[in-house]
Amino acid sequence: MHKVFRYILLFILFLMLILIRFFENDLFYDPYLTFFQGDYLYIDSPRREVAKLVAYTTLRYLLNSMVSLAILFLVFKNLNMVKFSGLIYVIAFVMLILIYLYFVINPRQEDYYLFFNIRRFLIQPILLILLLPAFYYHKLKA
């Protein structure tokens, strides 16, 4: 693949991540978006539809994951790294969504900060931020 074409695709993929974040209020049902913008440590959890919330959180995770895996493939051109990353994304999703569900179903004010951070891993491409330098370092050492 030509270098310029790869850079253009990478730019488009990073732009997609930015657009997912920018249009989050329009694309996804998430009453916690406004809840965590306020003084959430001192107020009650917002009303929510659990199934709808989990479905939209899963959709957002899938979109971010697919774009992130495409970025990893374009950066490293290594299908084995992408497969391994996909496995990490699946395992992380199962673990995080179970913890997320616990916090959604059993909201307690003393758990809001932990809930906020678990939710952040599900709705933002944090795994990409962790995997890019890890694989780069691995590639340098190999």
Side-chain angles (χ1 to χ4, degrees), residues 33-85:
L33 286 172
T34 55
F35 175 72
F36 284 121
Q37 289 174 353
D39 200 9
Y40 64 89
L41 291 175
Y42 304 104
I43 58 177
D44 289 332
S45 185
R47 296 186 59 120
R48 68 238 170 255
E49 297 176 44
V50 176
K52 187 176 180 181
L53 179 63
V54 170
Y56 277 97
T57 302
T58 300
L59 174 64
R60 187 165 178 180
Y61 186 84
L62 285 173
L63 289 173
N64 282 331
S65 298
M66 290 187 305
V67 173
S68 297
L69 290 172
I71 289 170
L72 289 170
F73 179 73
L74 286 174
V75 169
F76 297 108
K77 296 179 272 185
N78 185 331
L79 199 54
N80 287 328
M81 277 187 184
V82 174
K83 288 178 185 178
F84 180 70
S85 299

Side-chain angles (χ1 to χ4, degrees), residues 14-27:
F14 277 108
L15 183 63
M16 287 175 69
L17 289 175
I18 292 167
L19 290 173
I20 289 170
R21 171 71 183 210
F22 186 76
F23 290 109
E24 66 188 356
N25 289 321
D26 302 323
L27 296 173

Side-chain angles (χ1 to χ4, degrees), residues 68 89 124-134:
S68 297
Y89 273 95
Q124 296 174 0
I126 293 176
L127 286 177
L128 176 66
I129 295 168
L130 296 172
L131 290 174
L132 269 174

Side-chain angles (χ1 to χ4, degrees), residues 61 87-97 122 127:
Y61 186 84
L87 182 64
I88 290 173
Y89 273 95
V90 168
I91 292 169
F93 176 74
V94 170
M95 290 172 35
L96 292 169
I97 201 71
L122 285 167
L127 286 177

